[in-house]
Amino acid sequence: MTLSIRNQLPGTITAITPGEVMATVKLRLSGGQDLTAAITLEAVQDLGLAEGTAVKALVKATEISLATAPIEGLSIRNQLPGTITGIATGGAMASVKIAVDGGALTAAITRDATTELALAPGAPVVALVKATEVALTTA
């Protein structure tokens, strides 16, 4: 299946914490980072997810925010450090490509944000992703 979601990070499930309707699924990405997804219990069951299952974490570029350093005291569970490899800007928006351990990400952010944060190729950044914005597929 071909998807328009370009951010596809391979990993392995390390823990599943079920709730009444939703579950948090923790995975270790191939680059060694930990990532948390919040998905429905129905999805956990339909996909046959369990500890040790190989998956891909899928994140739309519009759901990635960027920071110039790790942030403490934040409810966003996923903070992936990386380095900017390229920026393409348009009139209002920018596409920022980021190398992270074990993969690559693309973030779609405003052009103003790239200017205010002084983003440029080679600069370190932290990709921020809410757990509810991470989808999973079996690998």
Side-chain angles (χ1 to χ4, degrees):
M1 168 173 41
T2 303
L3 298 173
S4 64
I5 298 175
R6 295 292 172 238
N7 297 313
Q8 301 183 26
L9 300 171
T12 303
I13 294 176
T14 58
I16 299 174
T17 305
E20 289 185 31
V21 176
M22 301 285 290
T24 57
V25 180
K26 295 187 183 221
L27 49 137
R28 174 74 38 93
L29 300 177
S30 62
Q33 314 92 320
D34 291 319
L35 190 76
T36 300
I39 63 174
T40 65
L41 273 178
E42 185 176 0
V44 170
Q45 294 163 353
D46 289 348
L47 292 169
L49 301 182
E51 286 185 31
T53 302
V55 294
K56 282 188 182 176
L58 310 173
V59 183
K60 290 174 57 177
T62 54
E63 301 302 333
I64 296 177
S65 297
L66 298 178
T68 55
I71 301 174
E72 291 187 29
L74 187 65
S75 67
I76 296 175
R77 299 290 71 174
N78 301 307
Q79 297 192 32
L80 301 173
T83 303
I84 296 174
T85 59
I87 300 175
T89 57
M93 298 296 292
S95 175
V96 181
K97 299 214 178 281
I98 305 145
V100 296
D101 286 343
L105 294 172
T106 299
I109 64 174
T110 65
R111 181 177 173 177
D112 290 345
T114 63
T115 301
E116 291 169 13
L117 295 173
L119 300 181
V125 290
V126 178
L128 307 169
V129 184
K130 291 178 65 171
T132 53
E133 301 305 330
V134 177
L136 298 176
T137 184
T138 51

